[in-house]
Amino acid sequence: MDAAADGPRRYLVRTFGCQMNENDSERISGLLEADGLTPATSEDDADVIVLNTCCIRENADNRLYGTLGHLKSRKDARPDLQIVVGGCLAQKDRDQVRARAPYVDVVLGTHNVHRAAELVAQARAGGPITEILDAAVADDATMFPSALATRSGPGHTAWVTIQIGCDNSCAFCIVPAVRGPEISRPFDALVAEVEALAADGVTEVTLLGQNVNSYGRDLTLAARRAGDDVRVRPLFADLLRATGAVDGIRRVRYTSPHPKDLRPETIAAMAEVPEVCSHLHLPLQSGSDRVLAAMHRGYTAERYLERLAAARAEIDDLAVTTDIIVGFPGETEEDFARTLEVAAEAAYDSAYTFVYSPRPGTEAAEMADQEVPAEVVAERFDRLKVVVERTAVAAHRARVGRVEEVAVEGPSRKDPSVLTGRTAQNKLVHFPSPTPLRAGTYAQVRVTDAAAHHLRGELVDVVAPARHRTRIPVAAV
């Protein structure tokens, strides 16, 4: 018997992975709601459980199969419970997912998210379904459906997918295999979507892509091939300016750029458009030129630091974050020492540091004979953490005494009497408030204390109240 036999069927979406996966999860949630389902509060009252997967790092695989093992007992007790596996891992390993968890009702990939509700309905009527599409068979209407048509409910923030896929060939990355080549969404459609989001109460948008810097290069190339007199170039800087100019949009963020494609016009747009946040996430991955070449990153450490310096010279109060991989195959102590040097010179506000894990299907996975011993990787990881946290604390302490504008995100998970907000530089700020403030409220907060990963402050003033309806969250794991 269904958990919701006395009312609408209920769904729960759990997300494994990056912002792109979270964006897809919102689309899936919106489609299921449009088909009559309502959000569940937990697995106990869900009739449909969707696991939207990642395959970038090994831990995501382990968590997926661990979760599927846990759900098997629920499926045995309730045969009408539907389990759906989607996302990058499903796109890459459809047969393995089906073999390891034959009780899964639907397996779908990254290119048929638009079919999620239909496949759930078909599987309920006719049994398990596996449907994986190639990017070549999908068009803009299916790859990039309207955010408003598929969002799980409006909030003050929204993701806007501007492109899918990637044309780079980083040796450690499986994204091109599971997301396909770069396909940019039409410029006017994106601006129209941001306008619609703003009209619905959204004040902050994040532009999403695997390599946002190259957004629109394929569009201009196609126009040139069609005979139009246009210059083949990226359109990302133009898109930043256009979205920043949308009435009602207070903040524009983006992720993720590639250092080799960070162009002067993008830096200029960030410097000149007040709505574009002063935060640059610029993945380094390694400070060693030898390792960067083996990774096929397309830049040297010197070139990376030059572009970072150019951005800091033009953009006021710029915060910089990064990604760094420790233990890439063949990484020597000398290579790692150079990474420490570059990380110290870059003086990051924070860094996402990762232990390298091989992904089947990537070039680096074939370098098993160059594997760095686990104990060496662990020791290097700890040393890198010290360097990164040293510069992060210094950057945060420099903000003590300043008044920052924060967008309220809600009560702190550790202390509900304290609110949490985020600055334009993506700094997390905890502060008490004498009265409750809704998520999406913009407030002035004076910074009083600093730690490596957050700031503390005191409320000075409320500058803009929230103007959106309450948003239904999608669980992330």
Side-chain angles (χ1 to χ4, degrees), residues 8 136 151 188 208 424 453:
R151 289 169 67 226
D188 291 344
L208 287 181
H453 304 292

Side-chain angles (χ1 to χ4, degrees), residues 40 126 138 211 230 241 251 287 290 349:
N211 180 14
V230 299
R241 293 181 184 277
R251 289 180 176 179
R290 192 189 68 81
D349 291 70

Side-chain angles (χ1 to χ4, degrees), residues 158-427:
W159 289 300
V160 177
T161 299
I162 68 171
Q163 65 175 188
I164 61 164
C166 185
D167 289 342
N168 294 310
S169 57
C170 298
F172 54 81
C173 186
I174 194 66
V175 165
V178 296
R179 292 280 182 179
E182 285 182 11
I183 304 174
S184 298
R185 188 172 177 193
F187 190 97
D188 291 344
L190 283 172
V191 176
E193 180 168 302
V194 174
E195 290 173 343
L197 289 166
D200 205 43
V202 168
T203 57
E204 177 180 313
V205 294
T206 300
L207 308 179
L208 287 181
Q210 299 297 339
N211 180 14
V212 292
N213 302 106
S214 61
Y215 164 77
R217 185 182 285 125
D218 57 327
L219 299 178
T220 57
L221 178 60
R224 185 65 177 267
R225 286 172 175 166
D228 294 345
D229 185 20
V230 299
R231 179 166 62 91
V232 176
R233 65 182 182 91
L235 301 175
F236 185 59
D238 300 337
L239 185 62
L240 287 177
R241 293 181 184 277
T243 53
V246 171
D247 186 37
I249 294 298
R250 197 178 184 98
R251 289 180 176 179
V252 177
R253 301 187 187 275
Y254 65 87
T255 193
S256 285
H258 195 296
K260 72 178 178 61
D261 296 319
L262 180 61
R263 300 168 64 92
E265 56 264 38
T266 296
I267 293 173
M270 293 183 68
E272 296 165 9
V273 180
E275 292 78 11
V276 179
C277 292
S278 299
H279 170 225
L280 176 62
H281 184 72
L282 199 63
L284 171 65
Q285 306 303 4
S286 174
S288 163
D289 289 348
R290 192 189 68 81
V291 174
L292 288 171
M295 289 177 168
H296 306 315
R297 290 292 289 171
Y299 55 84
T300 63
E302 180 180 9
R303 185 61 175 150
Y304 176 95
L305 290 171
E306 286 175 353
R307 296 195 176 188
L308 178 55
R312 281 184 164 140
E314 285 199 45
I315 304 167
D316 184 49
D317 199 19
L318 181 67
V320 181
T321 57
T322 196
D323 296 334
I324 299 176
I325 296 173
V326 180
F328 186 79
E331 181 187 72
T332 66
E333 180 58 30
E334 182 179 355
D335 293 326
F336 181 69
R338 183 59 181 143
T339 295
L340 293 180
E341 292 171 5
V342 174
E345 184 173 350
Y348 296 116
D349 291 70
S350 68
Y352 299 94
T353 53
F354 305 97
V355 170
Y356 169 77
S357 62
R359 297 291 78 200
T362 64
E363 180 181 335
E366 305 302 317
M367 303 177 183
D369 60 327
Q370 302 179 56
E371 182 178 345
V372 182
E375 63 274 14
V376 174
V377 175
E379 188 267 345
R380 290 176 183 172
F381 189 87
D382 289 342
R383 288 158 59 194
L384 177 61
K385 182 179 178 181
V386 170
V387 171
V388 170
E389 291 197 351
R390 182 189 304 136
T391 60
V393 169
H396 282 185
R397 285 176 178 169
R399 308 190 86 84
V400 172
R402 296 178 50 166
V403 174
E404 306 269 8
E405 182 179 277
V406 305
V408 175
E409 295 185 344
S412 166
R413 286 179 294 180
K414 293 184 177 180
D415 184 354
S417 69
V418 174
L419 292 175
T420 293
R422 201 168 293 271
T423 72
Q425 291 76 25
N426 209 34
K427 305 287 187 183

Side-chain angles (χ1 to χ4, degrees), residues 428-467:
L428 200 61
V429 185
H430 301 298
F431 63 99
S433 173
T435 58
L437 299 178
R438 284 185 61 204
T441 300
Y442 287 84
Q444 297 286 342
V445 175
R446 180 175 289 105
V447 179
T448 59
D449 195 12
H453 304 292
H454 66 271
L455 303 169
R456 296 186 186 89
E458 57 188 16
L459 180 65
V460 174
D461 193 17
V462 174
V463 295
R467 59 186 188 89

Side-chain angles (χ1 to χ4, degrees), residues 1-75:
M1 173 180 251
D2 289 353
D6 57 345
R9 281 163 45 85
R10 292 187 276 267
Y11 75 90
L12 181 72
V13 180
R14 299 186 65 185
T15 308
F16 302 75
C18 67
Q19 293 98 329
M20 192 71 76
N21 284 49
E22 292 180 24
N23 186 220
D24 285 346
S25 290
E26 289 203 347
R27 293 168 57 191
I28 291 169
S29 297
L31 290 166
L32 292 175
E33 289 187 26
D35 203 42
L37 281 76
T38 60
T41 57
S42 69
E43 292 178 357
D44 293 334
D45 67 342
D47 300 287
V48 178
I49 298 177
V50 181
L51 307 179
N52 190 21
T53 66
C54 170
C55 64
I56 303 302
R57 292 183 175 84
E58 184 176 10
N59 188 46
D61 300 27
N62 295 338
R63 292 166 76 186
L64 168 67
Y65 289 114
T67 301
L68 284 174
H70 161 73
L71 290 177
K72 185 179 185 304
S73 60
R74 290 184 177 273
K75 180 75 170 178

